[in-house]
Structures are given as structure tokens and as C-alpha cells.
Amino acid sequence: MTGCSKFGRLIVPVLFTRFSYGFTRSLPATLNSSWISPLQQQPNRAFFTTSRSMSESDEVAAAKAQAAKPQDDGAPTVFDKILSGEWDSNKVYEDDICLAFRDVNPQAPVHFLVIPKNRDGLTGISKAREDQKDVLGHMMYVAGTVGKKECPKGFRIVINDGEQGSQSVYHLHLHVLGGRQMGWPPG
């Protein structure tokens, strides 16, 4: 890249990628892409940075705002809109019970969600009824199967529940995260 210091060459793509999926396709043609890691060159994967401050505070604020509203007022959630086809998603798995798709705000190189197709009052794990055990077990099985395929070295499954659990969408969903070493303790 002509007229750009090495420092600028590293910072510009990182700042740009925080807001863009598939950024390698969006880079100016003058950039030499030899410095892009294999992870960044993978299609349908977002480049991941370790900065948490932006997403963490947004997620907590969204969770608090959602907790102040009725959790199951019958209004369609973002996941209902994805299930109906009103909104697009990048599907990784689908069957008659659940759907798995990539998170639009990934917190790891691999980050997808598993949701039940029929919400049926299943707004959070603490709201699960005994008659929903089969759905819950199936969702965990799908998360494990797809997680093993996408992250052969290991992955983490997370369920956020309620305000202090930072749940921002009241339609039960499992987060499957991997593709990097996870830290402990989480949160």
C-alpha cells in the first residue's frame, strides 16, 4: 500500500473489520492481502478482535432494557422474524425442531446460535417446562454436533438467562463459541 506506514497498515483494517463481515472482499484493490491471516480469509466468518468493551456494554444495556419489558407478550422477536423468513440469516443447520445460524455480532471466530423453531413460552432456560425437555435436549445435541464440526479443538456453549445473565432476546437460544482459546472465568 503506497504512502501508508506499517502502523497505519495494521490499524486501518482492524478498525474497519469491527464493523464489517467478509472485509477481505471490501478492501481496496491497492492493498496487498498477503498479511491477512487464514482465519480472515475464510468465507462467512467475521474477523474477531479481543476487545470486549463495545459489545459487552451494549449487551448489558440491551439486556436491562429488555428485562424491563414483558418477556412473553406474544410480539415477534428477532428470532421469530428469522424463522418466518422476514429477516435473513446465515444458517449452519436446520431441522424440524431447531435452527442454527451465525451470530451477527460474533464474540469469537466461530459463533453461532441454536434456537427452537417453536418458542411456545420458551423465552429463557428458567422458563422451561417439563414437557419441553426433549426440545432442550435436542438443542444441546445439535449445538454439540455442529460445534464439533466447526471447532474440532473445542468450543463453549452459553445460555444467557434474565437481566443479570445479560439475556437480550427473550426466545431461548444457545450460543456456541469457538475457534480460539476460551478464558476462565467467563463474564
Side-chain angles (χ1 to χ4, degrees):
M1 184 161 146
T2 317
C4 184
S5 71
K6 208 168 196 152
F7 181 74
R9 206 175 144 165
L10 292 173
I11 295 300
V12 171
V14 170
L15 291 174
F16 182 69
T17 59
R18 286 179 187 248
F19 305 104
S20 174
Y21 284 45
F23 81 97
T24 55
R25 285 172 262 149
S26 303
L27 289 174
T30 56
L31 269 180
N32 176 355
S33 63
S34 63
W35 57 270
I36 299 173
S37 74
L39 173 64
Q40 294 166 306
Q41 293 174 1
Q42 293 178 10
N44 301 320
R45 298 267 172 92
F47 177 66
F48 172 72
T49 60
T50 57
S51 174
R52 291 170 137 198
S53 59
M54 214 160 64
S55 63
E56 191 173 292
S57 62
D58 292 348
E59 191 68 25
V60 170
K64 287 182 179 187
Q66 279 300 101
K69 299 177 185 177
Q71 272 72 48
D72 198 13
D73 59 2
T77 67
V78 62
F79 298 153
D80 291 316
K81 292 177 181 184
I82 288 170
L83 288 167
S84 73
E86 184 179 340
W87 288 11
D88 291 330
S89 68
N90 188 349
K91 295 178 188 176
V92 295
Y93 177 87
E94 183 173 15
D95 63 23
D96 58 332
I97 298 171
C98 66
L99 172 69
F101 55 93
R102 300 212 184 278
D103 196 303
V104 297
N105 183 22
Q107 301 300 304
V110 174
H111 185 174
F112 63 90
L113 305 175
V114 180
I115 64 170
K117 283 189 166 182
N118 183 6
R119 186 170 26 147
D120 188 28
L122 200 49
T123 56
I125 193 69
S126 63
K127 304 291 186 201
R129 302 184 311 259
E130 188 169 343
D131 65 313
Q132 295 170 322
K133 289 190 294 186
D134 289 341
V135 172
L136 297 171
H138 183 72
M139 289 173 63
M140 287 296 288
Y141 178 76
V142 167
T145 302
V146 178
K148 184 168 51 173
K149 179 182 162 218
E150 297 253 336
C151 307
K153 292 184 176 182
F155 53 91
R156 178 173 288 165
I157 298 173
V158 176
I159 301 174
N160 299 329
D161 191 76
E163 179 181 355
Q164 290 190 345
S166 289
Q167 183 177 3
S168 57
V169 178
Y170 283 84
H171 182 140
L172 180 67
H173 54 287
L174 310 177
H175 293 262
V176 182
L177 303 109
R180 66 170 168 87
Q181 180 61 55
M182 297 289 149
W184 194 262

